[in-house]
């Protein structure tokens, strides 16, 4: 006797759920987001995927966390209590991690791109899940499909997070930008080509962001007075020197 399929009631509406930015069409607006979705969709049944997209767009996902090795979230279904879904993604092993780091550090262009938040597509072979063995879907709902609509909804919304910041894939795979780029001071020597005598091909680290301050604010009057007095300059000359410096600072600062 063939078992009857489980019948589910209508989903309960959610207030203040996670809002999708993809109102219609396919999820994955960027190269990284599309590839991430395609891997998941290649493992799932079309009906569950369609319902997962409906849940993602309908705000049924209550919470979403992208963590090293997994995506976690609560999704409101037809029952009173929301279901807890998890998408587990295998983190890179030490050998693959070393390959990623070496690949980036050998390429000044990749290093610069990654430091500015751009994820080079060349890293896709390591970062994107490529088979069913890289993914596992779990959910507290009674549907044994893999993935169920709740886990699929998490995956679609994660694709949007990846669209906004592709480096989230690094987090999922157990990496970070800092770990790959490393200490710029320690790595500066590795970026210099000994044959490049004038440094034309050298890529230097970005200058730090310095908060703006008006030029006169940088002039510490008391310290300057002490320095001039130590040089045994007359008090009148000391005051004149400070006044002249303050005037120059204001002119430099446009005040």
């Amino acid at each position: 006797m063939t078992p009857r399929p489980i019948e589910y009631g209508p989903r309960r509406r959610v207030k203040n759920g996670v809002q999708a930015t993809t109102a219609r069409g396919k999820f994955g607006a960027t190269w990284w987001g599309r590839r991430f979705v395609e891997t998941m969709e290649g493992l799932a049944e079309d009906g569950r995927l369609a319902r997962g997209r409906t849940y993602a767009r309908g705000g049924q996902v209550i919470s979403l966390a992208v963590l090293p090795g997994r995506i976690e979230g609560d999704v409101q279904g037809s029952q009173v209590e929301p279901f807890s879904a998890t998408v587990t993604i295998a983190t890179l092993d030490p050998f693959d991690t070393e390959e990623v780091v070496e690949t980036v550090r050998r390429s000044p262009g990749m290093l610069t791109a990654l430091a500015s938040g751009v994820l080079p597509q060349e890293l896709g072979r390591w970062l994107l899940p490529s088979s069913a063995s890289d993914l596992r879907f779990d959910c507290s709902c009674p549907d044994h499909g893999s993935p169920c609509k709740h886990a699929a909804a998490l995956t679609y919304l994660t694709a949007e997070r990846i669209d906004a910041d592709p480096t989230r894939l690094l987090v999922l795979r157990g990496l970070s930008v800092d770990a790959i780029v490393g200490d710029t001071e320690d790595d500066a020597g590795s970026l210099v080509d000994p044959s490049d005598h004038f440094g034309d091909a050298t890529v230097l680290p970005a200058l730090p962001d310095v908060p703006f301050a008006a030029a006169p604010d940088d002039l510490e009057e008391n310290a300057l007075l002490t320095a001039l007095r130590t040089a045994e300059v007359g008090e009148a000359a000391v005051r004149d020197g400070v006044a002249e410096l303050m005037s120059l600072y204001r002119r430099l600062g446009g005040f």
Side-chain angles (χ1 to χ4, degrees):
M1 182 176 180
T2 304
R4 295 177 60 186
I6 300 175
E7 295 183 2
Y8 303 101
R11 64 183 186 275
R12 294 175 178 267
R13 297 296 181 182
V14 174
K15 291 183 179 180
N16 302 320
V18 179
Q19 296 299 311
T21 58
T22 307
R24 60 178 61 87
K26 294 184 177 181
F27 280 81
T30 65
W31 185 87
W32 287 104
R34 286 195 301 273
R35 297 301 183 276
F36 184 76
V37 165
E38 286 170 0
T39 302
M40 184 271 296
E41 290 184 334
L43 306 172
E45 183 264 327
D46 289 342
R48 289 186 174 89
L49 291 176
R51 290 190 288 274
R53 290 190 291 270
T54 298
Y55 270 51
R57 292 192 175 102
Q60 297 298 120
V61 176
I62 299 172
S63 64
L64 175 66
V66 180
L67 306 168
R70 67 190 188 280
I71 305 163
E72 295 179 350
D74 293 324
V75 185
Q76 183 64 61
S78 59
Q79 300 183 13
V80 175
E81 294 296 326
F83 298 114
S84 296
T86 303
V87 181
T88 303
I89 301 177
T91 56
L92 297 186
D93 62 37
F95 299 102
D96 284 338
T97 297
E98 185 177 355
E99 282 194 53
V100 169
V101 172
E102 289 181 354
T103 299
V104 171
R105 294 190 182 185
R106 281 197 304 263
S107 170
M110 280 193 193
L111 194 62
T112 302
L114 195 55
S116 62
V118 177
L119 194 59
Q121 292 184 10
E122 293 86 344
L123 301 182
R125 55 173 292 204
W126 292 286
L127 300 181
L128 289 167
S130 58
S131 66
S133 62
D134 291 332
L135 293 169
R136 191 180 77 240
F137 304 96
D138 298 290
C139 188
S140 60
C141 75
D143 184 1
H144 297 297
S146 182
C148 67
K149 58 191 174 187
H150 310 108
L154 292 186
T155 309
Y156 283 122
L157 290 178
T158 299
E160 292 190 336
R161 301 297 191 274
I162 293 171
D163 285 338
D165 181 8
T167 61
R168 287 179 183 269
L169 264 176
L170 294 176
V171 175
L172 277 172
R173 294 301 235 167
L175 299 172
S176 69
V177 173
D178 290 341
I180 296 176
V181 173
D183 189 332
T184 54
E185 292 183 0
D186 292 342
D187 293 341
S190 65
L191 299 179
V192 177
D193 182 355
S195 63
D196 182 23
H197 302 292
F198 298 101
D200 294 330
T202 301
V203 178
L204 298 177
L207 293 174
D209 292 330
V210 179
F212 171 79
D217 294 344
D218 291 335
L219 181 60
E220 296 182 12
E221 184 175 349
N222 291 334
L224 181 59
L225 287 171
T226 301
L228 291 174
R229 287 168 180 156
T230 302
E232 298 184 353
V233 178
E235 192 63 23
V238 168
R239 292 294 176 183
D240 290 341
V242 171
E244 184 176 356
L245 282 173
M246 290 294 288
S247 175
L248 289 172
Y249 265 60
R250 288 193 177 91
R251 288 169 63 187
L252 288 171
F255 292 93

